[in-house]
Amino acid sequence: MVRSYVQTPENWDRITRTIVYNKEECLQSMVCAGKCLFLDTCTIMQYENLSTDSKFYQYISDTYDMVLVTRTILMELTSEDKYMKEIHILFLERVHEAKRLYLFDEEWSYDYLKIAYDKTDKEFNQTLQSAIKFAISSYTNIIKDFMSKENCIKYFNERHPDELYTDFFTNIRDNKQTGDSMGEELIAITAILLSSVPESSECKFELVSNDRQSYMMMRSTKQHIRDKYGWDAFNCKTTCSLGFLMFKNQYLELQELRDFTAVSYHDCNVKLFGAGCNDIECKQYTLTLDEYINTLNNDKTFKVIF
């Protein structure tokens, strides 16, 4: 069954009592932030099962300056009845209590760039066009399908007098379909755009995602940003790599790490990229949850990458 998506859920007032929807405040916070955390749909739906006293909340409070949910992720969290479920909202409330949480429209990337650069809209459009071309060539069918001949003329017209960000992101969100990866793909494009503003600190923008299919997309995005802009602006974490950091930084005891990992892998094998004492380089592991915990307990050199 094909479901329809809405860009503004019916319980918008309820949502915006939890998530801050204020462009000026969000952008100013982003400019000043050292680390910004994006959450994707699967992460929110899994982490809403964490206990209310989970150390996850303390970790994001200590580590990040702000948390963001994009408009497309909001769409994916909205049910067929056009309402976001209360269980999603309650989780986001707990996140917001730990660290200020913003709803971020992807087209606000344009306004972020305008704060940093004194450029024409034509020049800003070229930054967007470059990101779209990379996405088409590297990992996406969604944008490729959206870029019909008419849209190619529209969005790659160098003589276009106005900014294209609002039109592009609004229209592509209208094309969202069941089961696609539009949320992650638009986060990747947004990361490329935001990363065009150089910073002194590494990995200013991070995403937590357990979508294994998105791994190569996020990896290629990270490499593209490094090659194009010359700094490590973007990083992607999974439950495994995030839990590993929380364990190594003494936020979690071993049993707590098991409970945290179980929210994403309670009924399936843990799949990760890592390296242990006998590994020459990073490789993919598929372990039961108990095997994963025993590996971390018995091999103190083991490191989870993704």
Side-chain angles (χ1 to χ4, degrees), residues 49-55 57 94:
N49 296 307
L50 290 169
S51 64
T52 56
D53 61 350
S54 169
K55 301 294 177 53
Y57 302 108
R94 293 193 291 273

Side-chain angles (χ1 to χ4, degrees), residues 112-113 116-117 193-201 204 229-231 233:
Y112 180 80
L113 298 184
Y117 295 118
L193 297 171
L194 299 176
S195 299
S196 66
V197 180
E199 298 274 352
S200 57
S201 60
K204 174 165 181 168
Y229 298 119
W231 69 298

Side-chain angles (χ1 to χ4, degrees), residues 1-14:
M1 179 179 178
V2 178
R3 63 170 287 191
S4 60
Y5 290 88
V6 293
Q7 299 202 32
T8 304
E10 293 292 333
N11 54 342
W12 176 256
D13 289 344
R14 170 73 179 98

Side-chain angles (χ1 to χ4, degrees), residues 28-296:
Q28 189 57 47
S29 297
M30 188 177 288
V31 168
C32 298
K35 278 194 176 294
C36 308
L37 178 65
F38 288 87
L39 301 176
D40 80 348
T41 304
C42 63
T43 298
I44 292 170
M45 295 181 73
Q46 291 168 0
Y47 287 17
E48 64 193 23
N49 296 307
L50 290 169
S51 64
T52 56
D53 61 350
S54 169
K55 301 294 177 53
F56 165 75
Y57 302 108
Q58 185 61 52
Y59 180 80
I60 62 172
S61 176
D62 293 344
T63 306
Y64 300 99
D65 297 296
M66 61 191 303
V67 183
L68 300 117
V69 174
T70 64
R71 176 70 67 162
T72 310
I73 298 300
L74 184 77
M75 292 171 62
E76 294 180 351
L77 290 169
T78 302
S79 302
E80 184 66 32
D81 63 2
K82 299 180 176 53
Y83 283 80
M84 182 189 283
K85 291 181 179 178
E86 188 67 14
I87 189 172
H88 304 331
I89 297 174
L90 291 175
F91 167 71
L92 295 176
E93 280 184 348
R94 293 193 291 273
V95 172
H96 184 65
E97 289 170 0
K99 186 60 63 176
R100 199 153 177 82
L101 174 66
Y102 294 89
L103 174 61
F104 183 81
D105 290 345
E106 291 93 343
E107 55 267 29
W108 292 358
S109 302
Y110 165 76
D111 302 275
Y112 180 80
L113 298 184
K114 282 196 72 175
I115 294 173
Y117 295 118
D118 182 19
K119 293 182 177 181
T120 65
D121 281 350
K122 177 181 177 181
E123 290 173 307
F124 286 127
N125 288 343
Q126 289 171 346
T127 303
L128 174 62
Q129 292 160 355
S130 175
I132 293 172
K133 288 177 181 177
F134 169 75
I136 291 173
S137 66
S138 299
Y139 49 67
T140 177
N141 288 320
I142 295 172
I143 299 174
K144 189 180 297 184
D145 293 342
F146 175 71
M147 295 301 286
S148 62
K149 182 177 181 180
E150 180 181 347
N151 279 338
C152 280
I153 294 172
K154 179 179 183 180
Y155 293 116
F156 292 119
N157 183 352
E158 294 185 358
R159 294 187 298 275
H160 201 290
D162 303 314
E163 62 92 1
L164 293 170
Y165 292 67
T166 302
D167 192 272
F168 171 75
F169 283 112
T170 302
N171 286 336
I172 196 169
R173 287 194 299 258
D174 280 339
N175 283 262
K176 167 134 189 74
Q177 298 180 15
T178 305
D180 67 21
S181 58
M182 183 179 289
E184 290 80 8
E185 294 193 15
L186 294 190
I187 288 175
I189 290 180
T190 298
I192 294 170
L193 297 171
L194 299 176
S195 299
S196 66
V197 180
E199 298 274 352
S200 57
S201 60
E202 292 186 350
C203 298
K204 174 165 181 168
F205 305 105
E206 292 193 355
L207 166 68
V208 178
S209 173
N210 288 301
D211 185 346
R212 303 300 303 180
Q213 295 180 339
S214 297
Y215 171 71
M216 293 307 297
M217 174 175 62
M218 297 307 170
R219 183 177 177 180
S220 62
T221 298
K222 179 179 176 68
Q223 186 62 51
H224 174 72
I225 291 170
R226 182 186 298 160
D227 294 341
K228 187 173 182 63
Y229 298 119
W231 69 298
D232 283 319
F234 176 68
N235 195 25
C236 182
K237 289 187 172 73
T238 61
T239 292
C240 285
S241 59
L242 180 60
F244 172 78
L245 288 174
M246 293 168 65
F247 176 62
K248 288 298 182 182
N249 289 306
Q250 301 182 333
Y251 283 87
L252 300 177
E253 300 292 337
L254 204 60
Q255 182 58 46
E256 292 174 318
L257 174 62
R258 190 187 194 285
D259 294 341
F260 178 75
T261 309
V263 300
S264 299
Y265 298 101
H266 64 283
D267 59 355
C268 59
N269 287 334
V270 178
K271 295 182 179 181
L272 60 95
F273 288 86
C277 60
N278 297 318
D279 297 325
I280 298 175
E281 57 185 18
C282 176
K283 70 177 186 180
Q284 184 170 355
Y285 284 82
T286 300
L287 307 168
T288 66
L289 184 55
D290 288 334
E291 289 172 339
Y292 170 61
I293 298 301
N294 288 336
T295 298
L296 291 182

